[in-house]
Amino acid sequence: TKKEKQTRKKKDPNAPKRYPSGFQLFMTEITDKERAKNPAHKVPLQMEKAAEAWKTMSEKEKKKYLDKSAALKTEYEAQMAEYGNATDKPEK
C-alpha cells in the first residue's frame, strides 16, 4: 500500500512574521559587516566565521542579542494575539 501524500496547511500571508533568535540577529549583523569588508568572500565562509565567533562569545556578550530577540518575541506574541482575534470565526 502506498502512503497518501500529506499536504501542508497554507501559511496566511497576512500573519505576522516570526521573531528572529538572538543567534540569527548576531549572524545578520556579522555577515553584513563581513560582506562590506570583504565582498569577494563567499557566504559559507562568512557564516562559518560568524558561527565560530558566536561559539566563543561569553554569555554577557550574547545578552545584547538575546535581549533584543526577547523584545521582538514579546512584540510578535502581541501581534499574534491581535491577529488571532481578528481571524477568529464565530462558533456555529
Side-chain angles (χ1 to χ4, degrees):
T1 60
K2 291 185 180 180
K3 289 185 180 181
E4 287 187 36
K5 202 174 202 182
Q6 291 182 348
T7 57
R8 282 190 173 182
K9 184 179 174 185
K10 296 267 184 190
K11 188 172 183 180
D12 185 353
N14 299 324
K17 281 192 158 190
R18 192 173 189 283
Y19 60 94
S21 68
F23 177 69
Q24 290 169 323
L25 292 170
F26 171 75
M27 291 295 277
T28 301
E29 184 180 301
I30 295 300
T31 53
D32 288 347
K33 286 179 185 177
E34 280 293 317
R35 209 173 293 130
K37 276 196 255 178
N38 303 311
H41 280 179
K42 298 195 187 281
V43 174
L45 179 61
Q46 293 172 352
M47 298 296 270
E48 188 178 318
K49 285 183 177 183
E52 191 60 41
W54 178 261
K55 287 179 190 174
T56 60
M57 285 175 73
S58 69
E59 288 301 316
K60 187 177 179 183
E61 293 171 311
K62 290 180 184 181
K63 189 173 183 346
K64 168 184 157 185
Y65 301 101
L66 299 174
D67 288 347
K68 188 172 182 179
S69 177
L72 291 171
K73 178 181 180 181
T74 305
E75 267 183 50
Y76 170 76
E77 288 171 345
Q79 290 173 349
M80 280 304 288
E82 186 178 308
Y83 172 76
N85 291 337
T87 59
D88 282 344
K89 295 182 176 93
E91 297 277 333
K92 288 186 179 179

